[in-house]
Every structure is written in structure tokens, then in C-alpha cells.
Amino acid sequence: MKAPQVIVSAGGGGVGKTTTSAALALALARSGKRALVVSVDPARRLADALGVAVGGQVKPLSLDTGDGELFGLMPDPRTSMRAFVELLFAEEPEALARLLDNALYQVLEDAVPGIHELVSMALTTEAVRNLEIEVVVVDTAPSRYAIDFIHYPGRLAKLLGGRAVGWLAKLAQRGNTQKKGRPNRVERMLAKVMGSVVYDVAGLFAELALVRKRFVALTAQTSRLLLGPMSQYVVVTAPSAAAQADAEYWIKQLSALDLRPTAVLLNRALSPEYPFAKVLRSAPETTGSMHQVLNSLDEECRVREDATDRAVEVLSKRYPHVSQVALPYIESSDPREIVEALCGKLDGHLDALTA
Amino acid sequence: MSPTETADRSLTPLSPAVFVTGKGGVGKTTVAAGLAIAAVQSGQGAVFVEFGDGDSGERAFGKLPKNLKHVVLDPQQAILTAAAPLFGSATLAKLALGNFAMRPLIQSAPAIREIAVLEMVRRVVEEHPRRRVVIDMPATGHSVAWLRVAQQGRDLTKRGPIHDLCARVHRELIHPERSSVVVVTLPQPLVMNETIKLCGAIEREVGLRVDRLVVNHVPAMPPPDALSDALRVADELGVVATAAGELGALLTKRAATALAVDKALSQAAGERTATLTRLPLSPADPTARQVARWLTERGAA
């Protein structure tokens, strides 16, 4: 299998990250590639943005993609944990049954950060292999916690590989069998504070230790996909103070991890042209109210341009090595229309974005 | 129906603790800061609580007004502080939590971090009985998980000190009489759909009431006769008429979107006796003081 190109898009909330990711993937497909767009954003907006069904299994999307092909994947975070443990425990049915019965597992079932991403990446790896995907666009969650998505699996794998698990397994056994033996001071303290749940906690990790090999293989796969030589990061932002703060946070975090972003996509940065405005301005038929509307359209454009200029200036000064792509503001209540318009704009930047 | 705001002074007053949430990028932090400043201005005093590095509060307030406290909760520190009384002392807590098996476990188990932070919020509320405590929550999705964790912890542990801690947080903080939820949104169809889902999840899964629905950045309506004028000119022939037709189409499109969003949000607010408060779109990002003034004028503070 030839390693695919992977483009991870990161950024704050409300900047149009999902829409931009969808547009980028569509542009790549239209350039003749076999592309896959994956959204791990729990907001699950990918289907809305593209206006076609996208679900928890990799499926070709019914869109006009010219010479290439576009596949989509948007797993449901609420079923991710279950999918994940079924994948992990495929060869350990008894341990799986015990795990599903674990009180703590039942609480964590829809709440573990990182697992959703891990499952999504496992499905992505599989699709890359089976469907000969050439390029993957990953739309991440907007939260600053999303950076966990890179660290977390490795941390968990390390935990399962360490001597902590043996200690926890012993503790779990004590809880199950009331076996004699002298609990040490820390154990006694934990049991006193946490009550019986400490055995559930220990049990959960003891079961996970059984499938450590598979777990490590999965996390290694994810790391290869996200951190390999064919992976790159783009940061999506918009011209507002908060969005810019988020963008800078991401650029710094990613650079600290040696994943310096290749580009910043400045969404909603360029104003639309209103050709009618010029005609109406000099026409005697134009009424006072119409003039007022024209003035406020001008004002909107001016405000947007000022904000964009400020953002461009700050980003160029602080991060001169990160290239910038300014995208237009598309006024539409139809998300599909916005994706199409952005796709057209991104088409001219594909070389820079996939360099 | 015109989306211009009429001040309604008979709104449900906010509870002592106010959780402010919404999708990322809607101006949540500025609204939270505005609610805190409004409480200071009314003489009540306020505490602004944020999770993380303290960046957003600093950006929102600039110089901190008198009677306004800015509390930054660091999750790691919160775990140690919240656990200290359970273990008898901070030293014992450090010993148990620093245990080679427990340390990575705690770092991997999300619920522990979240319950510890909520316990710290509970203490902040307890320590400031006369002040309004405004909590700037993480974005959608995450916030429901945060708020649900006390109840889950309580039910999971059945008894013991952790159970008691979770039960107390749930009883004293995550309770409709103790806390209000303010959801911030934007007048855009996709954001609005997410907001309506979030309101449902907070009520169903957390059991808290959404008291305020704040629509941020609502653009001013064009002059009422602009559209009819444009359509009249468009009836003629020639380039001017074509241009007027295009202006008319733009105005019609904008009005339709604005109306649909406003209708859906009004209905969502009506279903849960939440107040719908619209804040105007302003050229620059509004300051927290500006937002405080708007909220006070609309009786929503």
C-alpha cells in the first residue's frame, strides 16, 4: 500500500472548519484524486455541509467529482467506544463480556476523549488500504482539547504497557474474589476514598491489558497516519480576534510538536463584489432607503477588509514561514453552495496545500 | 415580527451560578464577561471563572473592575485541591494520586478532571454567597459531558467519600435552583440548529434549565421601504432595473434567513420559558462592557 497524503485541518470553533475541509477534499477529488474526508468533530456537520449522507462507514459520496472520487466518513462519537472495544476484543470474547458489564465502562462508553478519534483513524486506515485512497482530509474537533487526539492514544498505550497494569490487575482480582492478602497503604487509601469503584477502575485496565498488543498496533497505525512524513497540518481561521487567538494557539501547539502547519486558511476574508451597487449609486431612480442599504453593504465590506488586513499583518509578522490562503465570504444559507464556491477557490492552491 | 428588542423586565432572575455555553466562535466569553460586569454594575459583585490558561478572561476584561474576581481553574491543580479533604491532607492526596499506577490512570480518565473542576466551582460559589459566579464553559458537546459528570459519579460510586463529593456537587451546584444556563448562539441556520440540540441535551441529560438564549451579532434590519423601492425600480427596463432587481434579491434572501432563524429560536425559547435576547452586530468585536450594557438594557442581565 502506498502511504496516502494526509491533511489535518485544525482551528477554533465557528470559523467554518468543516465546510473548508469538505471543500478542500472536493477540490482534491476533482483534481483527479481518490480522496476521503473524515470528520471527527462531535458537532457532526459534515453531512450538512456537503448536503449528502455521510455516516459511520466509509462510503462514496454522491457528488460530481469529475475524474476523481470522494469518500466520506463521519463516525458517531456515541457509538465509537463500543466499536472500539469490539475491534480490540475481537479475539477475547469473555473479556469483552466482562468489560461491557463493568460499571465504569458503562459510564465511559460515550465520554472518553481520544477514543472517538482513534476509531475514526482505524476506519480510515482500513479504507485507505481497501479503497486505495490517495489523499485524506481530517476535520478535527474545534476544542483546544482536540490536541489530545495526537497525544492521548500513545499515553494510554504507555499506561497499558507499564507495570501499573500489573498492579491494577492485582487490585481488580482482590475486588473480584475477596482474596486474602495484605493490601498496601495506597490500595487501602484508594479503596477507602473511592469505594468499590476502585475495583471497577482496576478491572477496566486489567481487561485492556489483555489486548495491549492490538491496542498498541492501533495507536501505531494512527500515529503513522497523523504523524508520518506524508501528513501535514493546516490551520483554519477567520478574521476575528477570538478566531485569531485560536489560530495562534494551534500554530504554536503544532510547531511545538514539530508539526509546523503548511498553511493558514483565512476563511470569510474576502468580500463579495456587488456589481449592482455601482450602477445604483449613480442612478437617479435609487431612493434614500436604497442608498442606505448600499452604504451599509459598503460598511460591511470595509469592516471585513480591515479585520482581514489586521489578521494578515499579524500572522505574516509572527509566522512568516506559514503561507496564507484568503478565502471569500460566501453569503448563502445553503451550505452546499458555500462548499462549491470555496472548492473553486481552493482549486488554485492545491499544490501549495499538498506540498 | 420585528427582531428589534423590547426590554422585558419580568424575566426569570438568574441563579447565583451562571454557566455560559454555546458553540465555539459565537462570542461566549464576551457574553459571560458581560454578565459578570453587569452584576458588578448593579452592586452585586461577581466572580468570572474560566478553565484553562486565563487568556480569555484577560482578553475580555483588560483591567479588572473592582468587585470582580477572575478565577482560573487549572484541571491538574483542581484534582489535588479537590482530593485533599478526601485523603485527609494534601500530602496524603499527593501520595495516593502520585502513585505510579494512579497517576497515568487519572490523566487518562476524563471524569476525574471534570468532577474536580466542578468541585472547585462549587467552592467558589460557596465562598462568595452574595456574588454572581459566571462560568465560561467549554464549547458545545464538551459542556454537556462536564455538567453530567457529577450525577454519573454519584450513581457509579454508590457510597464513600467520592460518592459524597459528587452528590454534593450535584445537589449544591448542578441544580435548577442553584444554577442558570445561558446559551449563546448566532443568527445563522447551522449554528442555530446546533444550539437547539444543545438546549435539549442540557435539559434532558443534565437536568438544568436554560434561562437565557442570547443571539449574538444580529445585523440591523434595512430601512423598511428599501425592498419595495428596489422592486419598484426593478419593474422598469434597463441596467438600473436589473441592478435594482439584484439588490431586491439580496434583501429578500437576507430577510428570509433572518426571519427563519428568529422564528426557530423564538420557538425554542418559548418551549422552555427561556428568554430570547438579541445583541446587535457591531463593526468591531464588542467589548465586555458594551455587552454588559446591552444585556442590562434588555433586562437579561
Side-chain angles (χ1 to χ4, degrees), chain A residues 13-15 19 42-43 45 48-49 78 103-104 107-108 110-113 142-145 148 152 155-156 159 163-165 167-168 185-186 189-190 192-198 200-202 205 240-242 245 249 268 274-277 279-280 283 285-290 292-294 297 299-300 302-303 329 331-333 335 337, chain B residues 23-26 51 53 55 59 75 86-87 92-93 95-97 99-102 104-105 107-113 138-139 141-142 144-146 148 152 156-163 188-190 193-194 197 205 222-226 229-230 232-233 236 239-240 242-244 246-247 250-251 253-254 257 281-285:
Chain A
V15 296
T19 306
R45 283 205 34 239
D48 282 347
R78 292 186 172 256
L104 186 69
V107 171
L108 293 182
D110 62 4
V112 183
S143 143
R144 290 189 174 190
Y145 291 99
D148 276 1
Y152 183 84
R155 229 163 54 203
L156 212 53
L159 166 67
R163 73 195 162 103
V165 166
W167 189 85
L168 288 166
R185 186 159 159 228
V186 173
M189 199 150 54
L190 288 173
K192 199 175 112 199
V193 169
M194 296 170 72
S196 61
V197 74
V198 73
D200 291 322
V201 174
F205 281 87
S240 84
Y249 170 87
R268 301 188 200 119
Y274 298 114
F276 60 80
V279 179
L280 289 178
E285 295 93 328
T286 305
T287 64
S289 296
M290 287 163 73
Q292 265 189 54
V293 172
L294 295 176
L297 284 178
E299 173 74 4
E300 280 172 25
R302 198 184 54 73
V303 167
Y329 167 71
E331 180 164 356
S332 170
S333 54
E337 201 181 313
Chain B
K23 182 180 155 57
V26 297
F51 311 151
D53 48 15
D55 261 12
R59 217 173 35 239
L86 302 184
F87 289 95
L92 285 175
L95 175 70
L97 300 178
N99 167 276
F100 75 95
M102 288 313 285
L105 192 67
Q107 278 167 7
S108 332
I112 294 178
R113 180 174 72 183
H142 232 81
V144 173
W146 272 100
R148 219 171 33 177
Q152 286 178 330
L156 177 70
T157 45
K158 300 189 186 77
R159 62 178 179 279
I162 299 247
H163 171 87
Q188 293 165 12
L190 285 175
N193 287 338
E194 251 176 78
K197 274 191 217 146
E205 295 175 32
D225 46 3
D229 286 0
R232 190 169 35 81
V233 177
E236 316 284 320
V239 260
V240 175
T242 312
E246 283 164 10
L247 176 64
L250 181 73
L251 287 173
K253 192 162 87 173
R254 287 191 173 186
T257 310
L281 176 68
S282 69
D285 288 342

Side-chain angles (χ1 to χ4, degrees), chain A residues 7-146:
Chain A
I7 302 172
V8 182
S9 80
V15 296
K17 196 158 43 60
T18 301
T19 306
T20 315
S21 306
L24 180 58
L26 187 58
L28 286 162
R30 285 188 181 155
S31 78
K33 295 265 174 30
R34 290 174 69 81
L36 166 66
V37 54
V38 185
S39 182
V40 293
D41 184 347
R44 313 196 73 228
R45 283 205 34 239
L46 183 62
D48 282 347
L50 285 167
V52 295
V54 185
Q57 299 295 327
V58 177
K59 290 256 168 67
L61 303 180
S62 45
L63 289 166
D64 170 24
T65 51
D67 292 339
E69 194 150 11
L70 181 59
F71 296 83
L73 171 67
M74 182 174 65
D76 184 347
R78 292 186 172 256
T79 56
S80 276
M81 186 70 169
R82 177 62 77 102
F84 178 62
V85 298
E86 280 170 2
L87 198 67
L88 269 183
F89 288 86
E91 285 154 25
E92 300 278 353
E94 281 169 29
L96 177 64
R98 279 198 304 271
L99 183 77
L100 296 181
D101 208 35
N102 187 302
L104 186 69
Y105 167 79
Q106 287 164 7
V107 171
L108 293 182
E109 183 152 39
D110 62 4
V112 183
I115 295 299
H116 175 54
E117 285 82 356
L118 206 56
V119 173
S120 307
M121 290 306 112
L123 291 170
T124 302
T125 310
E126 202 181 327
V128 163
R129 194 180 310 130
N130 298 341
L131 302 167
E132 292 169 13
I133 300 291
E134 295 166 290
V135 54
V136 184
V137 178
V138 184
D139 170 37
T140 59
S143 143
R144 290 189 174 190
Y145 291 99

